[in-house]
Amino acid sequence: MEKIIRFATKKINVQWINAGSLNGSRPVLVFLHEALGSIIQWKSFPQDLCVSLNLPGLVIERSGHGKSSVLSGERDYTYLHHYADETIEVLREVLIPEQKIILAGHSDGGSIALILGGKGLKNLLAVVTIAAHTFVENETLTGIHPAIEASKIGKLNGLYKIHKEKTEALFYAWANTWLSPGFRSWDIRNEIQDFKQPVLAVQGLND
């Protein structure tokens, strides 16, 4: 079940899974998508995982993505921290203030999950990351240039079906931020070195 949550000047689209099992005894799996992701791009993974574990789930679509609000302002090297502070923490306080949670994040979403864990997010039990970033790697930057070229010749049109009029702003906010000289020093390893919760970090050979 998808639902638009409005707070301040934003609207954030979320999807509840197994909402009938939402109670104080079971933790909630909170899913955080990748840099150009959305709820729909997770496909059936959140549903399948929540059903197999018999847990409620909450899938969050950050601003600039899918059915959520458009991006506002320019991104800088703090944009992942901004999402952590201004979106995820606020939504947790509004939707599941007393629930224990497990964060499951892919790529940018994994980085946000680690940032939140490093800050000591209330009621956080554990973190699962899939191809999370903790610093700027040359392999990541190398992969952005072909994506820009593909965008110019229409090979990323599938994103328009998901993000619609927000697509170009979202794509170049991601690409330009990561390629900017000021972002080269982005590094969260010191922030998460004293991480207290269990972490399952999934990293592929080509990530």
Side-chain angles (χ1 to χ4, degrees):
M1 178 182 67
E2 291 190 30
K3 182 179 181 180
I4 298 293
I5 306 298
R6 299 179 184 275
F7 62 94
T9 59
K10 297 177 184 177
K11 61 178 184 179
I12 301 297
N13 188 37
V14 302
Q15 179 186 48
W16 283 107
I17 301 169
N18 271 359
S21 64
L22 189 65
N23 59 59
S25 64
R26 305 286 284 165
V28 179
L29 278 170
V30 178
F31 295 87
L32 308 175
H33 59 68
E34 72 272 30
L36 301 177
S38 65
I39 288 174
I40 196 172
Q41 284 161 277
W42 281 107
K43 298 183 179 178
S44 67
F45 177 71
Q47 177 77 26
D48 293 344
L49 186 60
C50 289
V51 169
S52 68
L53 296 174
N54 191 27
L55 292 177
L58 178 65
V59 192
I60 296 172
E61 204 162 59
R62 300 189 295 274
S63 57
H65 301 254
K67 298 177 184 177
S68 293
S69 293
V70 299
L71 290 174
S72 58
E74 294 291 326
R75 276 186 179 175
D76 61 18
Y77 72 96
T78 66
Y79 83 99
L80 292 171
H81 290 76
H82 176 77
Y83 274 133
D85 294 340
E86 300 298 324
T87 302
I88 311 307
E89 284 203 84
V90 171
L91 282 174
R92 189 202 62 75
E93 285 290 345
V94 171
L95 298 176
I96 45 175
E98 302 304 325
Q99 301 286 141
K100 301 293 185 182
I101 63 173
I102 299 170
L103 294 175
H106 177 207
S107 187
D108 274 19
S111 302
I112 293 169
L114 291 173
I115 289 168
L116 288 165
K119 287 163 53 78
L121 180 66
K122 180 183 176 183
N123 292 339
L124 180 62
L125 288 182
V127 169
V128 180
T129 67
I130 306 165
H133 312 287
T134 57
F135 64 100
V136 178
E137 300 176 85
N138 288 330
E139 291 85 351
T140 304
L141 301 182
T142 300
I144 293 175
H145 293 288
I148 292 174
E149 294 306 311
S151 175
K152 289 177 180 177
I153 60 176
K155 288 190 175 180
L156 299 179
N157 284 343
L159 290 174
Y160 283 88
K161 296 178 182 178
I162 298 165
H163 306 296
K164 303 191 183 327
E165 75 282 355
K166 298 187 282 290
T167 303
E168 186 169 341
L170 176 63
F171 178 83
Y172 283 102
W174 164 71
N176 292 340
T177 299
W178 275 81
L179 292 176
S180 65
F183 198 70
R184 289 292 309 210
S185 61
W186 179 83
D187 189 330
I188 62 171
R189 287 174 292 183
N190 284 338
E191 297 178 38
I192 62 175
Q193 64 181 347
D194 296 323
F195 213 94
K196 304 246 182 341
Q197 294 80 15
V199 177
L200 171 62
V202 180
Q203 202 80 14
L205 290 176
N206 296 317
D207 290 337

